[in-house]
Amino acid sequence: MHRIRSVFILSILVALWITPITAGARELIANFVYVGCNRVGFGATDAAPSTANVAQLQQTLADIAALPVKPDYFFFVGDMVLGMQADGGKTLSAELDAWKPLVDETRFATSGIELLPIVGNHEADASTQVSDGSYVEYPDAANLSAWVNWLNTHDLAKADNGPSGAAELKSDLLEEDNNQTQTYSFDDLSSGVHYLMLNTDSLSTVPNPSLPGKTVASWVPLHWVEKDFARAEQNPQIKRIVVLAHKPLVLDNPGPHDVVYDTAPYTLGNTLLTLFSNSEKFAGYFAAHAHEWLYTDKLGPKQNVTQVIAGNGGSQLESNWNPAGGAYFGFTRVNIYDDNTVGVVSYTRPAPTPYDATSAQPAAKPLPEIFFSVAGGGD
């Protein structure tokens, strides 16, 4: 009788051990929302002074403020405004100054959710038309300075520990010394998450082969990122590492400026993928730039890196993006759980015609949550 009871109890324990943890059993340890690419295009008529798609921006802010579980942060991962002018930062400064009141006049402003913008190529770069009629982008020092000044004026950077000093700048082939709030990181010790905000259009010293006197676009401070990761990996209080940036690491049929720089001898994108793949704590790369929503997993040498693109904030959507049910604007929620998984929820609202319609927009609705594992499998 005792043996039967013991076998019965053992069978229950084995069943519990091999049964996957359900979503309901997971404990949420951190969560944030993010999106990128809300600016209108150069052909927009009667654009707002901010050059934002105002109706989409303000509905997204209202939706985020109304979430039943308050997110820890709202990361806006670039291309908030049109920018892209070589005029000493004047256009960018004016657009950013017009953008901030759009946030202040919504209920988001009193929600207690911290807004942390990340620079995109439309904030960092300028462009020049070359002989074949195409436009070549390059990081613009004045635009980057205007961005940094705007962040500092409105206290929109969480830290200022980015690349600085002659040796560190030289190591990453960086040209200027105002990088501290372009790329930076911070620890949220209440949740055990390390957040790294990455400028994917840093001003380097690498010449642009198409533009004499200019430097290449899509540059990142690779060695600074490697050191930052090493510190986070060695910190026992940090359980997860999250990277947010404007440009993706990979993309189908990318244009010349669409992914992190990865041309020999500077294979920055591939090196980052390897770094993330080898990290025990890496919990996803969250980007925008492409005007679509795209989930890509099994990246990197260990096929354990996940990239999410949420570039559907309000800019004109990619013509070849045809999701089931039709193209949509919205934002993305990222949930970090205690069972070594990360959940991604895309909140969607139908894209109107025209895309920059000024009429009131419907509240976004969530799609089913997608789960993936932390790169190292956990603690």
Side-chain angles (χ1 to χ4, degrees):
M1 181 67 178
H2 291 294
R3 184 174 182 274
I4 293 174
R5 183 181 299 164
S6 298
V7 170
F8 177 69
I9 293 172
L10 180 61
S11 67
I12 293 175
L13 292 174
V14 169
L16 290 173
W17 179 69
I18 64 174
T19 301
I21 297 175
T22 64
R26 294 184 171 103
E27 180 181 344
L28 185 67
I29 61 174
N31 77 103
F32 61 88
V33 293
Y34 93 101
V35 75
C37 306
N38 174 260
R39 54 91 184 168
V40 297
F42 286 106
T45 57
D46 195 27
S50 64
T51 64
N53 186 337
V54 176
Q56 295 297 330
L57 173 62
Q58 294 194 323
Q59 186 59 52
T60 289
L61 291 166
D63 290 344
I64 292 171
L67 288 170
V69 177
K70 179 180 173 181
D72 301 328
Y73 306 100
F74 173 27
F75 298 98
F76 206 117
V77 294
D79 284 12
M80 306 184 308
V81 299
L82 187 55
M84 198 64 72
Q85 300 299 314
D87 60 0
K90 293 179 181 178
T91 293
L92 180 65
S93 294
E95 291 171 353
L96 290 172
D97 286 343
W99 188 91
K100 184 62 165 57
L102 297 177
V103 178
D104 295 341
E105 66 189 27
T106 68
R107 61 180 293 191
F108 177 88
T110 57
S111 68
I113 301 167
E114 190 166 7
L115 171 66
L116 295 174
I118 299 170
V119 65
N121 62 306
H122 274 260
E123 289 88 21
D125 293 357
S127 67
T128 296
Q129 191 172 24
V130 293
S131 57
D132 65 0
S134 63
Y135 284 85
V136 177
E137 295 182 16
Y138 58 92
D140 183 87
N143 284 341
L144 284 165
S145 292
W147 170 262
V148 169
N149 290 338
W150 181 75
L151 286 183
N152 292 338
T153 297
H154 298 285
D155 195 23
L156 291 172
K158 187 76 171 176
D160 57 355
N161 64 342
S164 65
E168 196 161 59
L169 296 177
K170 183 178 180 180
S171 174
D172 272 317
L173 303 180
L174 296 176
E175 185 173 284
E176 69 200 81
D177 195 19
N178 69 346
N179 291 271
Q180 293 94 318
T181 52
Q182 293 177 27
T183 289
Y184 70 91
S185 66
F186 69 92
D187 296 330
D188 186 330
L189 296 181
S190 65
S191 61
V193 178
H194 179 79
Y195 293 94
L196 192 159
M197 274 65 72
L198 181 62
N199 178 8
T200 50
D201 274 288
S202 300
L203 181 57
S204 75
T205 57
V206 180
N208 191 316
S210 302
L211 290 175
K214 305 299 181 183
T215 61
V216 295
S218 306
W219 191 265
V220 298
L222 174 64
H223 296 105
W224 183 91
V225 173
E226 290 174 334
K227 293 177 182 178
D228 186 76
F229 254 68
R231 287 190 291 268
E233 291 280 1
Q234 294 164 11
N235 186 346
Q237 294 180 283
I238 298 302
K239 305 301 181 185
R240 306 287 183 267
I241 302 173
V242 167
V243 180
L244 297 113
H246 180 66
K247 289 183 177 177
L249 296 170
V250 297
L251 193 64
D252 290 338
N253 302 313
H257 316 116
D258 288 341
V259 294
V260 170
Y261 198 86
D262 203 50
T263 302
Y266 307 114
T267 55
L268 307 183
N270 187 63
T271 304
L272 284 178
L273 273 176
T274 300
L275 174 68
F276 299 159
S277 191
N278 289 332
S279 169
E280 290 294 313
K281 301 178 180 181
F282 182 70
Y285 184 85
F286 302 95
H289 189 65
H291 301 166
E292 60 184 337
W293 197 93
L294 184 62
Y295 173 93
T296 308
D297 59 6
K298 297 181 173 56
L299 298 172
K302 297 181 180 179
Q303 296 187 326
N304 60 350
V305 173
T306 296
Q307 170 186 275
V308 180
I309 294 175
N312 59 330
S315 297
Q316 188 165 16
L317 296 169
E318 305 291 344
S319 60
N320 61 351
W321 182 50
N322 298 299
Y328 53 83
F329 290 130
F331 63 96
T332 295
R333 184 182 188 116
V334 180
N335 298 317
I336 300 177
Y337 295 102
D338 65 344
D339 67 340
N340 308 322
T341 60
V342 179
V344 178
V345 182
S346 179
Y347 283 76
T348 73
R349 72 179 72 90
T353 301
Y355 77 95
D356 56 348
T358 58
S359 55
Q361 298 297 302
K365 297 180 179 179
L367 294 179
E369 189 166 12
I370 302 172
F371 297 95
F372 65 90
S373 296
V374 174
D379 304 322

